[in-house]
Amino acid sequence: MSLGDDTLLCNYPKCRAKLSGFAWVTSCSHVFCDQHGSGEFSRSPAICPACSTALSGKLDIVRTELSPCEEYKAMVLAGLRPDIVLDISSRALAFWTYQVHQERMYQEYSLSRADTQLKQMEKVLNQQNQSREIELTAMRGEIASLKKVMEEYKRKYSEVSERLMERNRQYQKLQGLYDSLRLRNMVVGATPQRSPQFLSAAPLGDSRFFSCLEADGAKTFFQFSSPARDKNQSFINKH
Protein backbone atom coordinates (compact mmCIF):
# COMPACT_ATOMS: atom_id res chain seq x y z
CA MET A 1 0.00 0.00 0.00
CA SER A 2 1.13 3.55 -0.60
CA LEU A 3 1.60 5.90 2.31
CA GLY A 4 -1.56 7.79 3.15
CA ASP A 5 -3.65 5.19 1.28
CA ASP A 6 -5.96 2.72 3.04
CA THR A 7 -5.69 -0.02 0.43
CA LEU A 8 -3.44 -3.01 1.02
CA LEU A 9 -1.16 -4.35 -1.72
CA CYS A 10 -0.49 -7.95 -2.58
CA ASN A 11 2.75 -9.10 -0.94
CA TYR A 12 3.59 -11.45 -3.79
CA PRO A 13 6.98 -10.20 -5.11
CA LYS A 14 5.95 -9.92 -8.77
CA CYS A 15 2.38 -8.74 -8.20
CA ARG A 16 1.92 -5.85 -5.75
CA ALA A 17 -1.60 -5.19 -7.01
CA LYS A 18 -4.20 -3.36 -4.96
CA LEU A 19 -6.38 -5.82 -3.07
CA SER A 20 -10.10 -5.91 -3.56
CA GLY A 21 -12.84 -8.49 -3.03
CA PHE A 22 -11.17 -11.43 -1.26
CA ALA A 23 -7.60 -11.77 0.07
CA TRP A 24 -5.48 -14.45 1.69
CA VAL A 25 -4.03 -13.49 5.10
CA THR A 26 -1.25 -15.48 6.84
CA SER A 27 -0.20 -15.76 10.45
CA CYS A 28 3.19 -14.23 9.50
CA SER A 29 1.34 -10.95 8.76
CA HIS A 30 1.35 -11.14 4.97
CA VAL A 31 -1.55 -10.73 2.63
CA PHE A 32 -1.99 -11.89 -0.98
CA CYS A 33 -4.50 -11.36 -3.72
CA ASP A 34 -7.06 -14.07 -4.41
CA GLN A 35 -5.27 -15.21 -7.58
CA HIS A 36 -1.82 -15.78 -6.10
CA GLY A 37 -3.16 -16.95 -2.73
CA SER A 38 -5.27 -19.66 -4.38
CA GLY A 39 -2.30 -20.81 -6.46
CA GLU A 40 0.34 -20.76 -3.73
CA PHE A 41 -1.66 -22.14 -0.82
CA SER A 42 -3.28 -25.00 -2.71
CA ARG A 43 -0.06 -27.00 -2.33
CA SER A 44 0.92 -28.88 0.79
CA PRO A 45 2.84 -27.95 2.83
CA ALA A 46 1.97 -24.31 2.30
CA ILE A 47 4.89 -21.84 2.24
CA CYS A 48 4.56 -18.09 2.51
CA PRO A 49 5.76 -16.57 -0.79
CA ALA A 50 6.97 -13.42 1.02
CA CYS A 51 9.04 -14.80 3.92
CA SER A 52 9.14 -18.59 3.20
CA THR A 53 7.51 -19.40 6.54
CA ALA A 54 5.86 -22.84 6.79
CA LEU A 55 2.11 -22.47 7.30
CA SER A 56 1.00 -25.81 8.70
CA GLY A 57 -1.58 -24.67 11.28
CA LYS A 58 -5.30 -24.82 10.64
CA LEU A 59 -5.69 -21.05 10.99
CA ASP A 60 -2.30 -20.01 9.64
CA ILE A 61 -4.00 -19.13 6.35
CA VAL A 62 -7.40 -17.44 6.18
CA ARG A 63 -9.31 -16.32 3.13
CA THR A 64 -11.18 -13.16 4.14
CA GLU A 65 -13.53 -10.72 2.55
CA LEU A 66 -12.09 -7.22 2.49
CA SER A 67 -15.44 -5.44 2.27
CA PRO A 68 -17.86 -7.52 4.37
CA CYS A 69 -21.54 -6.78 4.50
CA GLU A 70 -23.19 -5.00 7.40
CA GLU A 71 -24.72 -8.22 8.77
CA TYR A 72 -21.28 -9.83 9.00
CA LYS A 73 -19.79 -6.83 10.79
CA ALA A 74 -22.72 -6.86 13.23
CA MET A 75 -22.35 -10.55 14.11
CA VAL A 76 -18.65 -11.42 13.82
CA LEU A 77 -17.71 -10.08 17.28
CA ALA A 78 -21.08 -10.32 18.89
CA GLY A 79 -21.12 -12.13 22.26
CA LEU A 80 -17.39 -11.78 22.86
CA ARG A 81 -16.08 -10.15 26.00
CA PRO A 82 -14.68 -6.63 25.61
CA ASP A 83 -11.12 -7.76 26.33
CA ILE A 84 -11.38 -10.34 23.53
CA VAL A 85 -12.83 -7.75 21.20
CA LEU A 86 -9.99 -5.37 22.08
CA ASP A 87 -7.43 -8.13 21.70
CA ILE A 88 -8.79 -9.00 18.25
CA SER A 89 -8.85 -5.34 17.29
CA SER A 90 -5.29 -4.73 18.52
CA ARG A 91 -4.03 -7.71 16.56
CA ALA A 92 -5.83 -6.47 13.45
CA LEU A 93 -4.34 -3.02 13.94
CA ALA A 94 -0.89 -4.58 14.46
CA PHE A 95 -1.30 -6.43 11.17
CA TRP A 96 -2.22 -3.17 9.44
CA THR A 97 0.70 -1.33 11.08
CA TYR A 98 3.10 -4.05 9.94
CA GLN A 99 1.83 -3.77 6.39
CA VAL A 100 2.32 0.00 6.46
CA HIS A 101 5.83 -0.43 7.88
CA GLN A 102 6.71 -3.04 5.24
CA GLU A 103 5.41 -0.81 2.50
CA ARG A 104 7.47 2.11 3.82
CA MET A 105 10.58 -0.07 3.91
CA TYR A 106 9.88 -1.27 0.38
CA GLN A 107 9.42 2.28 -0.87
CA GLU A 108 12.64 3.38 0.82
CA TYR A 109 14.48 0.42 -0.70
CA SER A 110 13.07 1.22 -4.12
CA LEU A 111 14.05 4.87 -3.70
CA SER A 112 17.56 3.92 -2.60
CA ARG A 113 17.98 1.54 -5.53
CA ALA A 114 16.69 4.17 -7.92
CA ASP A 115 19.04 6.74 -6.40
CA THR A 116 21.97 4.31 -6.80
CA GLN A 117 21.03 3.65 -10.41
CA LEU A 118 20.69 7.39 -10.99
CA LYS A 119 24.16 8.02 -9.58
CA GLN A 120 25.60 5.27 -11.74
CA MET A 121 23.89 6.72 -14.80
CA GLU A 122 25.16 10.20 -13.92
CA LYS A 123 28.68 8.79 -13.55
CA VAL A 124 28.45 7.05 -16.92
CA LEU A 125 26.99 10.22 -18.44
CA ASN A 126 29.82 12.34 -17.03
CA GLN A 127 32.38 9.89 -18.40
CA GLN A 128 30.70 9.98 -21.79
CA ASN A 129 30.59 13.78 -21.68
CA GLN A 130 34.29 13.92 -20.83
CA SER A 131 35.06 11.50 -23.64
CA ARG A 132 32.97 13.58 -26.04
CA GLU A 133 34.74 16.75 -24.90
CA ILE A 134 38.12 15.13 -25.56
CA GLU A 135 36.97 13.97 -28.97
CA LEU A 136 35.51 17.41 -29.70
CA THR A 137 38.77 19.10 -28.70
CA ALA A 138 40.73 16.72 -30.94
CA MET A 139 38.32 17.35 -33.82
CA ARG A 140 38.64 21.11 -33.34
CA GLY A 141 42.42 20.81 -33.49
CA GLU A 142 42.15 18.67 -36.60
CA ILE A 143 39.79 21.19 -38.20
CA ALA A 144 42.23 24.01 -37.42
CA SER A 145 45.08 21.99 -38.96
CA LEU A 146 43.01 21.24 -42.04
CA LYS A 147 42.17 24.92 -42.38
CA LYS A 148 45.88 25.75 -42.37
CA VAL A 149 46.53 23.09 -45.00
CA MET A 150 43.65 24.43 -47.08
CA GLU A 151 45.02 27.96 -46.88
CA GLU A 152 48.43 26.68 -47.99
CA TYR A 153 46.82 24.88 -50.92
CA LYS A 154 44.89 28.02 -51.82
CA ARG A 155 48.12 30.02 -51.82
CA LYS A 156 49.87 27.44 -54.01
CA TYR A 157 46.87 27.30 -56.32
CA SER A 158 46.95 31.09 -56.67
CA GLU A 159 50.66 31.02 -57.51
CA VAL A 160 50.18 28.23 -60.05
CA SER A 161 47.24 30.09 -61.60
CA GLU A 162 49.34 33.23 -61.98
CA ARG A 163 52.17 31.25 -63.56
CA LEU A 164 49.72 29.57 -65.91
CA MET A 165 48.27 32.89 -66.95
CA GLU A 166 51.78 34.23 -67.60
CA ARG A 167 52.61 31.15 -69.68
CA ASN A 168 49.38 31.60 -71.61
CA ARG A 169 50.28 35.22 -72.35
CA GLN A 170 53.73 34.16 -73.53
CA TYR A 171 52.20 31.42 -75.64
CA GLN A 172 49.75 33.85 -77.24
CA LYS A 173 52.65 36.23 -78.00
CA LEU A 174 54.73 33.44 -79.56
CA GLN A 175 51.72 32.21 -81.49
CA GLY A 176 51.23 35.71 -82.92
CA LEU A 177 54.90 35.91 -83.93
CA TYR A 178 54.73 32.48 -85.51
CA ASP A 179 51.60 33.38 -87.49
CA SER A 180 53.16 36.63 -88.75
CA LEU A 181 56.38 34.84 -89.83
CA ARG A 182 54.45 32.12 -91.60
CA LEU A 183 52.33 34.70 -93.43
CA ARG A 184 55.49 36.57 -94.48
CA ASN A 185 57.06 33.37 -95.82
CA MET A 186 53.91 32.57 -97.76
CA VAL A 187 53.94 36.06 -99.37
CA VAL A 188 57.64 35.76 -100.32
CA GLY A 189 57.13 32.27 -101.82
CA ALA A 190 54.23 33.48 -103.97
CA THR A 191 56.29 36.30 -105.71
CA PRO A 192 57.28 35.26 -109.43
CA GLN A 193 61.09 34.89 -110.19
CA ARG A 194 62.67 35.92 -113.58
CA SER A 195 64.60 33.19 -115.46
CA PRO A 196 68.28 33.96 -116.22
CA GLN A 197 69.17 35.32 -119.78
CA PHE A 198 71.94 32.89 -120.51
CA LEU A 199 71.44 32.79 -124.34
CA SER A 200 72.71 36.34 -124.97
CA ALA A 201 75.70 35.88 -122.74
CA ALA A 202 76.78 32.56 -124.17
CA PRO A 203 80.15 32.12 -125.98
CA LEU A 204 80.44 31.93 -129.78
CA GLY A 205 80.55 28.18 -130.00
CA ASP A 206 77.47 27.89 -127.83
CA SER A 207 75.65 30.43 -130.00
CA ARG A 208 76.38 28.38 -133.10
CA PHE A 209 75.06 25.34 -131.29
CA PHE A 210 71.80 27.05 -130.31
CA SER A 211 71.50 28.57 -133.82
CA CYS A 212 71.52 25.12 -135.22
CA LEU A 213 68.76 24.26 -132.81
CA GLU A 214 66.78 27.26 -133.97
CA ALA A 215 67.31 26.40 -137.66
CA ASP A 216 66.02 22.93 -137.36
CA GLY A 217 63.65 23.05 -134.43
CA ALA A 218 61.84 19.87 -135.31
CA LYS A 219 64.93 17.77 -134.64
CA THR A 220 65.51 16.39 -131.22
CA PHE A 221 68.44 17.05 -129.02
CA PHE A 222 69.65 13.47 -129.32
CA GLN A 223 69.85 13.77 -133.11
CA PHE A 224 72.25 16.73 -132.90
CA SER A 225 74.31 15.16 -130.21
CA SER A 226 75.20 12.00 -132.16
CA PRO A 227 79.02 11.99 -132.96
CA ALA A 228 78.76 9.91 -136.20
CA ARG A 229 76.11 12.21 -137.63
CA ASP A 230 78.23 15.25 -136.86
CA LYS A 231 81.22 13.78 -138.77
CA ASN A 232 79.21 12.99 -141.85
CA GLN A 233 77.66 16.42 -141.89
CA SER A 234 81.03 18.14 -141.68
CA PHE A 235 82.44 15.95 -144.47
CA ILE A 236 79.58 16.84 -146.81
CA ASN A 237 80.02 20.54 -146.12
CA LYS A 238 83.73 20.37 -147.03
CA HIS A 239 83.11 18.75 -150.39
Side-chain angles (χ1 to χ4, degrees), residues 15-188:
C15 181
R16 296 190 56 77
K18 289 185 178 183
L19 300 178
S20 61
F22 289 89
W24 294 76
V25 181
T26 64
S27 58
C28 54
S29 300
H30 292 110
V31 60
F32 303 94
C33 63
D34 199 23
Q35 178 183 356
H36 288 98
S38 300
E40 293 293 329
F41 300 136
S42 61
R43 297 188 293 265
S44 181
I47 303 296
C48 178
C51 62
S52 301
T53 301
L55 304 172
S56 58
K58 182 178 180 181
L59 296 177
D60 286 347
I61 304 171
V62 176
R63 185 174 182 267
T64 183
E65 187 177 2
L66 297 177
S67 299
C69 61
E70 295 298 327
E71 291 81 2
Y72 177 82
K73 289 188 287 184
M75 298 300 297
V76 65
L77 296 179
L80 299 179
R81 296 196 308 271
D83 57 335
I84 297 176
V85 172
L86 291 176
D87 185 35
I88 294 173
S89 299
S90 63
R91 293 188 182 189
L93 291 174
F95 178 87
W96 188 273
T97 303
Y98 175 78
Q99 285 292 316
V100 172
H101 176 70
Q102 289 293 110
E103 182 62 24
R104 181 182 291 110
M105 291 179 61
Y106 178 80
Q107 294 292 343
E108 290 177 354
Y109 167 75
S110 299
L111 181 61
S112 175
R113 185 174 63 179
D115 185 62
T116 303
Q117 292 178 353
L118 179 61
K119 289 180 179 179
Q120 291 178 353
M121 293 178 66
E122 289 179 349
K123 184 178 179 180
V124 173
L125 182 61
N126 290 332
Q127 292 176 353
Q128 291 180 351
N129 288 336
Q130 292 177 358
S131 177
R132 297 296 182 273
E133 287 294 333
I134 294 174
E135 293 178 358
L136 184 60
T137 302
M139 292 178 67
R140 286 174 178 171
E142 185 176 358
I143 290 173
S145 177
L146 291 174
K147 285 183 177 180
K148 292 180 180 179
V149 173
M150 186 175 66
E151 292 296 330
E152 182 67 18
Y153 278 123
K154 285 182 178 180
R155 185 182 64 80
K156 292 182 179 180
Y157 174 76
S158 178
E159 293 178 357
V160 172
S161 297
E162 292 177 357
R163 292 178 183 176
L164 181 60
M165 292 175 64
E166 181 64 25
R167 294 293 175 85
N168 286 333
R169 287 193 292 268
Q170 294 177 1
Y171 172 77
Q172 295 294 332
K173 184 177 180 180
L174 291 175
Q175 185 68 32
L177 292 175
Y178 170 75
D179 292 339
S180 62
L181 290 174
R182 186 179 65 172
L183 182 60
R184 183 181 300 175
N185 291 333
M186 291 174 62
V187 171
V188 171

Side-chain angles (χ1 to χ4, degrees), residues 192-230:
Q193 301 292 334
R194 296 181 64 184
S195 60
Q197 301 295 326
F198 58 86
L199 294 178
S200 61
L204 182 60
D206 293 337
S207 64
R208 290 199 301 268
F209 175 73
F210 284 103
S211 65
C212 293
L213 290 178
E214 292 175 356
D216 194 2
K219 296 180 180 179
T220 62
F221 172 77
F222 296 102
Q223 290 175 345
F224 286 103
S225 63
S226 173
R229 189 177 185 85
D230 292 338

